[in-house]
């Protein structure tokens, strides 16, 4: 019986040996958790669902993200991800100064609607100085001008069975041997209807530049940067995300990032 | 091995110093903090710089820490800049790995989970263990309040404040008094960890969430901006490491 009792000195020596063993071998014992289809990882990923539900319960649907003063704009908006899409559709639009561009809202709606850039610019506008938080860890404050998405969704008449909005973009975020992978992401309808969710066409009092998502970039201000789709052309209302991409609701989500993106 | 290294024969009363609640939560935290620390370094490596303020300066300089590989006449080197002072940290920070397989990253793969660059997995694990860490803390606080652990052992009282000076002197002279109650320094250490450090780690973590910023905007004001909160979050685990070694 006595042999089972571990005293403090033995314990510390043992754990130091174990700990240094782990360190020397480089912690790669846990590399299997990087496998996207690993069952242990799939269980651990459920914590992201908990985070999403907890934040939705805690944060009011209409609560605004912090808006900053003009003096907080201390630099240009840092471009990241795609900065110069090379798909033929986009290059054609860009050469035509986005004259033929149309933003389409389709899917589970009463009527499919689409708008030209001029129409979007003539709609009631909202300007907000907000902080853009990249999943990498950095932040950048900029002034965004655009028209709120909510009223446009109402024009299309979102069906009561729709649960998500999928945002389809022009940019080829990844080029593979089997073709381009186009950027897309999605949100729930709370984020789609949020008063600060604007289809932005202006950045820091200038037309939105190509590197930041021209002609239209959706802002979802209570989420990370990968939830702010650039080069947006179609918003599709759906009740299931599995038919798109790898089925996780977005390009980065398919790579393994959490779908909610609010943390 | 002689018999002297074994346990002394059991004589006298067996003293249970800690309740089952304290023991279980302790080991849950050991596992959680191991993963939180090493996945935290993985997340840091995605942007190995820390700033003061609301945003990260790309066209101005508000960085307090930066690890980066740089090209020198002698080939690539790893550099770490702290408060404007630059140090060559090749092999550890900014650049590590072997000569034929160099890794250009903040912390070396030996102290990150996974050992390769994988921010997505780092985040998945970090938030999972963050939830368990907070749940265990909640259970510990509740149990310790009910069973008197907080009042008896953690919260310093008048006698601890007056006895603090002598306890510091005793520690400095390596004169340790092992009694059934915590010494003033021990109490102070545990009190700091549970009432200052752990809440600080949790709140600065929440300050980095854009969702939480909307709900609790005061977080941004308390910590002086999201990027300052990120810097404090990074710094608080290093102070936790110090305090945990001092209470041993």
């Amino acid at each position: 019986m006595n042999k089972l009792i571990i005293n403090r000195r033995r314990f510390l020596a043992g754990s130091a040996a174990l700990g240094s063993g782990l360190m020397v071998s480089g912690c790669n014992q846990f590399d299997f958790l990087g496998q996207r289809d690993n069952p242990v990882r799939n269980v651990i990923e459920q914590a992201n669902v908990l985070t999403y539900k907890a934040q939705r319960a805690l944060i009011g649907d209409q609560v605004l993200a912090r808006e900053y003063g003009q003096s907080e704009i201390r630099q240009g908006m840092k471009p990241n991800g795609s900065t110069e899409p090379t798909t033929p559709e986009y290059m054609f639009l860009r050469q035509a100064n986005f004259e033929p561009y149309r933003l389409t809202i389709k899917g589970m709606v009463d009527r499919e609607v689409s708008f030209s850039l001029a129409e979007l610019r003539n709609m009631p506008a909202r300007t907000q100085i907000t902080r853009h938080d990249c999943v990498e860890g950095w932040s950048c404050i900029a002034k965004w001008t655009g028209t709120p998405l909510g009223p446009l969704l109402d024009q299309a008449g979102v069906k009561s069975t729709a649960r998500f909005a999928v945002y389809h973009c022009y940019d080829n975020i990844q080029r593979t041997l089997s073709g381009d992978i186009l950027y897309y992401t999605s949100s729930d309808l709370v984020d789609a209807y949020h008063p600060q969710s604007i289809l932005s066409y202006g950045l820091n009092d200038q037309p939105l530049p190509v590197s930041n998502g021209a002609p239209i970039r959706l802002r979802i201000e209570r989420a990370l940067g990968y939830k702010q789709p650039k080069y947006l052309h179609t918003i599709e209302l759906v009740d299931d995300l599995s038919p798109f991409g790898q089925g996780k609701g977005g390009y980065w989500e398919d790579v393994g990032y959490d779908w909610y993106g609010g943390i | 091995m002689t018999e002297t290294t074994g346990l002394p024969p059991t004589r006298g009363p067996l003293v249970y110093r800690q309740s089952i609640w304290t023991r279980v939560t302790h080991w849950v935290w050991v596992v959680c903090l191991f993963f939180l620390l090493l996945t935290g370094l993985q997340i840091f490596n995605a942007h190995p710089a820390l700033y003061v303020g609301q945003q990260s300066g790309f066209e101005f300089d508000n960085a307090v820490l930066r690890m980066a590989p740089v090209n020198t006449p002698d080939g690539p080197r790893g550099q770490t800049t702290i408060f404007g002072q630059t140090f060559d940290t090749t092999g550890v920070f900014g650049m590590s790995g072997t000569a034929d397989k160099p890794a250009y990253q903040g912390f070396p793969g030996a102290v990150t989970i996974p050992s390769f660059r994988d921010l997505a997995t780092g985040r998945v694990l970090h938030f999972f263990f963050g939830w368990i860490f907070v749940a265990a803390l909640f259970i510990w606080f509740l149990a310790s309040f009910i069973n008197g652990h907080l009042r008896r052992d953690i919260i310093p009282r008048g006698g601890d404040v007056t006895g603090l000076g002598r306890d510091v002197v005793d520690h400095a002279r390596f004169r340790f008094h092992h009694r059934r109650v915590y010494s003033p320094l021990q109490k102070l250490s545990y009190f700091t960890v549970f009432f200052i450090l752990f809440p600080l780690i949790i709140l600065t973590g929440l300050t980095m969430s854009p969702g939480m910023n909307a709900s609790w905007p005061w977080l941004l004001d308390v910590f002086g901006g999201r990027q300052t909160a990120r810097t404090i979050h990074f710094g608080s685990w290093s102070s936790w490491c110090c305090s945990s070694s001092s209470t041993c």
Side-chain angles (χ1 to χ4, degrees), chain A residues 15-34:
Chain A
S15 50
L18 186 73
S20 52
L22 279 174
M23 285 306 196
V24 166
S25 57
C27 291
N28 52 14
Q29 289 84 352
F30 303 106
D31 284 358
F32 71 93
L33 293 169

Side-chain angles (χ1 to χ4, degrees), chain B residues 223-238:
Chain B
F223 295 116
R226 179 178 191 258
Q227 289 300 321
T228 314
R230 184 168 172 264
T231 302
I232 297 171
H233 192 75
F234 181 89
S236 50
W237 65 258
S238 29

Side-chain angles (χ1 to χ4, degrees), chain A residues 99-110:
Chain A
E99 285 291 329
Y101 170 85
R102 294 198 77 81
L103 178 93
T104 306
I105 300 177
K106 66 174 192 181
M108 300 175 78
V109 290
D110 292 333

Side-chain angles (χ1 to χ4, degrees), chain B residues 22-198:
Chain B
T22 304
R23 288 170 186 275
V24 170
T25 52
H26 174 85
W27 289 107
V28 170
W29 287 326
V30 168
V31 174
C32 285
L33 287 164
F34 172 80
F35 280 99
L36 284 169
L37 183 66
L38 302 188
T39 56
L41 297 181
Q42 169 75 247
I43 295 169
F44 172 86
N45 274 1
H47 187 80
L50 298 172
Y51 308 87
V52 169
Q54 298 287 353
Q55 58 182 323
S56 317
F58 299 106
E59 295 171 26
F60 60 96
D61 189 10
N62 63 339
V64 292
L65 174 75
R66 189 184 294 279
M67 298 175 184
V70 285
N71 271 317
T72 67
D74 310 324
R77 308 287 295 173
Q79 282 188 353
T80 303
T81 306
I82 306 174
F83 296 111
Q85 296 291 313
T86 300
F87 304 93
D88 189 312
T89 51
T90 308
V92 190
F93 306 128
M95 182 187 158
S96 46
T98 55
D100 49 323
K101 223 180 154 189
Y104 303 106
Q105 57 189 38
F107 283 90
V111 293
T112 65
I113 292 178
S115 63
F116 46 85
R117 294 287 296 276
D118 187 351
L119 172 62
T121 302
R123 280 168 55 84
V124 166
L125 292 171
H126 201 76
F127 299 146
F128 173 81
F129 286 104
W131 272 110
I132 296 178
F133 172 78
V134 170
L137 192 63
F138 180 78
I139 291 168
W140 179 86
F141 263 110
L142 199 66
S144 301
F145 180 75
I146 293 167
N147 67 23
H149 181 41
L150 272 182
R151 183 174 32 81
R152 196 176 54 241
D153 306 318
I154 306 294
I155 298 172
R157 270 176 289 183
D160 297 308
V161 176
T162 50
L164 186 63
R166 202 176 55 205
D167 200 25
V168 171
V169 171
D170 282 352
H171 267 76
R173 292 177 176 172
F174 295 105
R175 282 201 310 234
F176 304 116
H177 308 291
H178 294 289
R179 288 183 236 108
R180 281 199 193 183
V181 292
Y182 285 156
S183 75
L185 265 181
Q186 280 175 308
K187 274 193 176 183
L188 196 67
S189 304
Y190 285 117
F191 181 81
T192 308
V193 166
F194 285 113
F195 286 86
I196 298 171
L197 216 47
F198 281 177

Side-chain angles (χ1 to χ4, degrees), chain A residues 31 41 75 131 139 262-263, chain B residues 58 115 121 123 209 213 227:
Chain A
D31 284 358
R41 183 199 167 98
Q75 56 189 350
R131 200 190 62 235
S139 308
I263 185 167
Chain B
F58 299 106
S115 63
T121 302
R123 280 168 55 84
S209 155
N213 282 177
Q227 289 300 321

